[in-house]
Structure formats: structure tokens, C-alpha cells
Amino acid sequence: MKAFLDEDFLLDTKTARRLYHDYAAGLPIIDYHCHLPPDQIASDINFENLTRVWLYGDHYKWRAMRANGINEAYITGDKTDREKFEAWAATVPYTLRNPLYHWTHLELQRYFDIHDILSPQTAKKIYDECTEKLQSPEYSVKNIIKNRNVEVICTTDDPVDSLAHHQKIKKEGYSVKVLPAFRPDKAMQADNVETLSRYIHQLETIIGTDICDFDTYLEALKQRHHYFAANGCCISDHGLEQFYSANYTEQEIRTIFLKILAEKELAHDEAVKFKSAMLYHFAVWDHEKDWTQQYHLGALRNNNTRALTEIGPDTGFDSIGDFAQGRSLSKFLNRMQAENKLTKTILYNLNPGDNELFATMAGNFNDGSIAGKMQFGSAWWFLDQKDGMIKQLNALSNMGLLSRMVGMLTDSRSFLSFPRHEYFRRILCNLLGNDIENGELPNDLEWTGKIVQDISYYNAKKYFGFDQVK
């Protein structure tokens, strides 16, 4: 019987262990999509206690606690940080086979060298020991990041963000590149014209120019696109339920935009046309700058309206959606390809039933200009666990070139989440190692090891071109 979470965790065979330990384990991390707050990096804060770094903002843990019958006061409410941690410690033993069980103990091991199992019996000891360590300079945010050999972090930033924190980080010469990513979702949310109108006025304030029609709106957003590029950005990102690629005329969009300015409710087809037009223009700008565009597709958000009202969005009430993705996504990518304006693209799927759809859709639009130009992105959100990762890797292997994948990302708001890269690398090495020992792949560790290293690090390093970002 193997020990829990030992050095060969998730590695079933001798070959898998060699692939991981000899080829993958020591490589730097390129985390090209996350939701880490750049202000906390710029300020290089020390967290007051383990709850602050571990539970605040982590809706994965919040969902598990609610499922375990924990009152909201101990989750997002007014209980003390110690009480919230104790509630989490009481939940952890019931998370068996949920990835949270692995992640929790991986993070305790990797950051704090704690090998105890978290439970109500060990909670006080673990909380006190970790909280004491978190006060030392070694556990400032910047050092927590460097602890895991992180080379690049791309945050997620709205076009109206000042990027002042990124500028401060760069000016101070931090060894890890912390770069913004352009996330313009709020700029196209035509389902709520009142909210979108407020956003437009916010954009006016930022650029110092009136926005009176669709053309001036595009010009304002393009100014921000330029501004992000000047501050090291080379990635955009979109979080969408499904893709929008409705037919429209420029005059229709101009008329729709005037309705938005007047805060007149749009018909459903008008909102879809507006979103379709915005996605097109964003993609054109990304192509002009040779950025990589990312599309996270398939989340059904804010299902619990009472919780949305009381607690707010991004608090653990989202789920996998069952949206039709193929035809609209194909239509959009085909338009960009036909106009020779399709930049490097990563497609992330949230519904495992669509894995093969996404893998084959990406393959439709490779053009031989760049290895792996069109990427079926790593398992995302509800799928970034062992089973979800394996399914994504298998779909990509069967339908495309696993060897050209740009690897894993954290997609996290937690500074303790970087062991997810290790988790992914172990799963990858186990798949390949098992295939070798089963005689399904040749016993060529030098070549397979190179592929492991490429997927874990070198493909992303080349694909994104972060070395060229000054």
C-alpha cells in the first residue's frame, strides 16, 4: 500500500515516476491565466492568518462547506477567521475523492511542510503553525510565488483598470513577470443596458473623451487595448456561456448602441448581435498585435438568485451549462480565418460532453503557421481535477497533438494554488508512463521526456512569447 501523498503520488509505474521526477518536477511555472489580485503582489503583503490566504475568495471551498451543512456565517459571514478555519477543517474529512482533499494537503505540504491530515483534531495546531509562518518575510506574497518556481503570471484585468499595480511590480524589478490580460466581458454585456451604460460612462472618465456613438465606443476600447499592450499585455480572455456569431450590419450595431446609451432595453436578438460585433472587433485587435485570445465557454452562472442578491457573484453558485457551442464557434472562427485575422487561440470547455467537439474544432483552423496555433485548453474550473484532466488529455490526444499543448494554468484567486501545476504534470506523466509500460508507446524516455517538458513549460514559453515582453 502506498502512503498518502508521498513523493510518487499519482504515479503508478516506474516509468511514470522517472518521467515526473527526471523531466517535469524541476521546471518553472508559466501561469498564463489566473485571477490573483495584482495589488496584493505589488504591496507584497503578509497574510494575517491561514484563513485569509486560503479561504477568502475560494468558492471551491465555500461550495464544499455549504454541502457539508456549514452555516453561511462561517463561510462569507461575520464569524472570526479562526472559526471559519475550524469550519473548513471540519469539512475536509468529508471531501474524500473531491480534488479539494488533494489540493488542501498538497498545499499544506508544499508551502508549510505540514504532513498532518487536516481535521477538527489537527485544526488548531495547523492554523497556529501556518499563521505564525505567514508573518515571516519568507511568506510575503512575492516569496510565496517564488517558492513554487513561478516565472510568469498573467492576471485578469478589465479594460478600465489602471494597471498601476502591474507598473509598480515591474518598476521594483520583481523577478517574476506579472502581466495583465485584457478581459473585456463587461464592455459587451448587452443583457443589462443600465449596467452597460454605467460602464460606458466609467470608460469615458478613464479616457477623458465623450462616447456618443458606436464608433467612439470602439475607439475608446481600442485605446485601452493599446494601453494594455504598452504595459506588457499579450493575452486577451473572454468568459462566455456560449459563442456569439450572429449576422449583423454595421448600421444595426450603431442603432443598437444608441439604445444602450439611452438605457432602452434590447430585444434578445439585438443583444446577441451586439455581442457578436464586439467579439469580432476584439479578435481583430488581438490579431493586429499578435496576441493570444482565450475563450472560456460553458459556465451557467449565478443560478441561485437569492444568494446572488445576498452575497454577490463569484461566490460558488455557478455550474456546468449545456449550451450548444459548435455551430456558432465554427462560424466565428471561420470568419476570422477567411479574413486572415485569426490569431493564436485557446478554447476552454466546461462541459465534458463537448471535449471532442472542442478538440476537433481547434483542429479545423490550424494553418501551419505556428505549431499548436489553435489550442484545446486545459481542463477548466469544475473539470480541473484528476478525472477531468485525464478526459481532456485523452480527447486532445485522440483528436489533435497532445505534444503541442501549452500545459496547465491555475485559474485561481489563491496564492497557494500553484501545486495544481504539479498535479497536472503528475497526471500527464502517469498517462504517458503507463502507455510505455503497456507497450502502447516505445520505451524512449529521452523523447517522451522531452514531450513532457514541452507540455509542462517550453511550449507555453515559446507560444506566448513572454521573453519578448519588456
Side-chain angles (χ1 to χ4, degrees):
M1 179 184 297
K2 292 178 64 175
F4 172 64
L5 219 66
D6 67 1
E7 64 177 8
D8 294 329
F9 172 59
L10 296 175
L11 304 172
D12 296 333
T13 63
K14 179 180 178 181
T15 304
R17 293 190 282 273
R18 287 193 60 189
L19 285 172
Y20 177 72
H21 293 299
D22 294 351
Y23 293 93
L27 291 173
I29 287 172
I30 293 177
D31 200 45
Y32 53 88
H33 174 72
C34 71
H35 298 272
L36 293 178
D39 61 316
Q40 293 182 344
I41 304 175
S43 300
D44 197 21
I45 67 167
N46 280 79
F47 287 95
E48 295 177 29
N49 54 55
L50 184 54
T51 300
R52 296 275 170 151
V53 69
W54 223 18
L55 293 176
Y56 275 52
D58 192 338
H59 52 78
Y60 288 77
K61 294 186 178 75
W62 296 350
R63 285 173 66 96
M65 293 168 76
R66 293 178 189 124
N68 198 44
I70 302 296
N71 186 277
E72 195 67 32
Y74 294 87
I75 301 171
T76 62
D78 58 2
K79 294 297 183 181
T80 67
D81 287 347
R82 183 179 286 275
E83 288 172 322
K84 290 177 178 179
F85 180 80
E86 289 171 350
W88 169 238
T91 299
V92 167
Y94 293 94
T95 65
L96 289 176
R97 301 202 82 238
N98 186 294
L100 285 166
Y101 197 83
H102 286 162
W103 295 344
T104 293
H105 295 100
L106 265 179
E107 290 166 16
L108 286 174
Q109 285 192 17
R110 298 299 179 263
Y111 290 101
F112 302 102
D113 196 27
I114 289 175
H115 294 258
D116 295 332
I117 302 300
L118 180 57
S119 69
Q121 291 72 39
T122 61
K124 184 179 186 305
K125 174 179 179 290
I126 289 174
Y127 184 85
D128 290 343
E129 183 175 339
C130 292
T131 295
E132 181 180 357
K133 288 181 176 180
L134 284 166
Q135 309 315 304
S136 69
E138 180 185 353
Y139 284 85
S140 72
V141 161
K142 287 184 177 179
N143 285 326
I144 287 174
I145 293 169
K146 290 170 65 176
N147 172 281
R148 302 317 307 158
N149 196 19
V150 179
E151 187 173 285
V152 179
I153 290 172
C154 292
T155 58
T156 304
D157 310 277
D158 191 274
V160 299
D161 288 346
S162 71
L163 305 184
H165 302 300
H166 295 84
Q167 293 164 355
K168 183 175 186 287
I169 294 166
K170 179 180 177 181
K171 183 178 180 180
E172 293 177 350
Y174 184 39
S175 59
V176 179
K177 283 188 176 179
V178 181
L179 305 175
F182 190 78
R183 176 82 171 243
D185 291 355
K186 292 180 181 179
M188 52 180 282
Q189 286 302 315
D191 297 314
N192 188 325
V193 293
E194 183 179 348
T195 300
L196 181 53
S197 179
R198 286 198 299 269
Y199 183 84
I200 292 167
H201 293 312
Q202 186 180 4
L203 182 59
E204 285 180 317
T205 302
I206 295 294
I207 66 169
T209 303
D210 289 340
I211 295 172
C212 57
D213 55 27
F214 186 62
D215 291 334
T216 52
Y217 185 51
L218 284 184
E219 180 56 35
L221 287 169
K222 193 167 186 179
Q223 282 186 36
R224 301 307 295 170
H225 199 270
H226 291 324
Y227 179 76
F228 269 58
N231 282 275
C233 181
C234 59
I235 294 178
S236 71
D237 182 55
H238 305 265
L240 306 168
E241 289 185 347
Q242 60 191 127
F243 225 92
Y244 303 99
S245 58
N247 294 329
Y248 60 85
T249 67
E250 292 300 322
Q251 185 54 51
E252 282 182 305
I253 302 304
R254 291 189 177 95
T255 300
I256 291 168
F257 188 76
L258 292 178
K259 288 182 69 173
I260 293 170
L261 287 180
E263 297 187 12
K264 295 181 179 178
E265 186 175 351
L266 301 182
H268 175 72
D269 67 319
E270 291 177 317
V272 170
K273 287 181 178 182
F274 182 77
K275 293 178 182 181
S276 301
M278 295 307 299
L279 284 172
Y280 170 77
H281 287 289
F282 293 141
V284 170
W285 302 342
D286 290 348
H287 178 265
E288 289 171 351
K289 292 186 176 67
D290 194 30
W291 284 10
T292 299
Q293 58 191 5
Q294 302 177 96
Y295 298 102
H296 288 82
L297 302 171
L300 185 60
R301 299 177 187 270
N302 302 320
N303 296 273
N304 186 330
T305 54
R306 177 180 170 183
L308 177 65
T309 301
E310 294 177 355
I311 308 172
D314 302 319
T315 52
F317 300 95
D318 309 314
S319 67
I320 293 171
D322 57 353
F323 307 101
Q325 301 287 4
R327 191 171 298 278
S328 188
L329 180 55
S330 173
K331 184 177 177 181
F332 172 81
L333 294 173
N334 187 55
R335 178 183 180 184
M336 305 312 300
Q337 182 82 327
E339 296 180 11
N340 197 27
K341 296 175 181 176
L342 182 59
T343 192
K344 293 174 288 186
T345 302
I346 307 177
L347 305 174
Y348 302 93
N349 169 49
L350 196 55
N351 190 325
D354 288 335
N355 277 344
E356 282 75 13
L357 185 157
F358 275 65
T360 55
M361 187 63 67
N364 290 334
F365 297 98
N366 279 312
D367 57 13
S369 61
I370 302 168
K373 176 180 176 178
M374 301 296 297
Q375 292 275 327
F376 173 31
S378 62
W380 169 50
W381 198 344
F382 292 105
L383 305 183
D384 65 351
Q385 27 74 10
K386 180 182 175 183
D387 183 61
M389 290 182 192
I390 290 171
K391 287 179 178 177
Q392 188 273 342
L393 291 169
N394 283 336
L396 177 54
S397 299
N398 288 328
M399 309 296 172
L401 294 183
L402 172 65
S403 55
R404 293 301 187 181
M405 183 187 181
V406 293
M408 188 56 182
L409 46 89
T410 62
D411 189 33
S412 174
R413 292 169 172 81
S414 170
F415 288 100
L416 300 184
S417 62
F418 291 107
R420 292 186 193 179
H421 285 262
E422 174 188 338
Y423 199 73
F424 169 83
R425 292 174 183 181
R426 287 176 178 271
I427 289 169
L428 171 68
C429 291
N430 196 56
L431 283 176
L432 294 171
N434 287 349
D435 283 352
I436 288 173
E437 296 215 1
N438 289 334
E440 297 177 49
L441 290 175
N443 186 17
D444 185 346
L445 281 186
E446 182 177 353
W447 177 252
T448 310
K450 175 188 180 301
I451 297 300
V452 165
Q453 291 182 324
D454 286 345
I455 296 169
S456 300
Y457 173 68
Y458 290 105
N459 285 346
K461 188 176 182 68
K462 183 177 181 180
Y463 184 83
F464 295 105
F466 293 129
D467 286 348
Q468 281 70 56
V469 176
K470 303 301 182 185

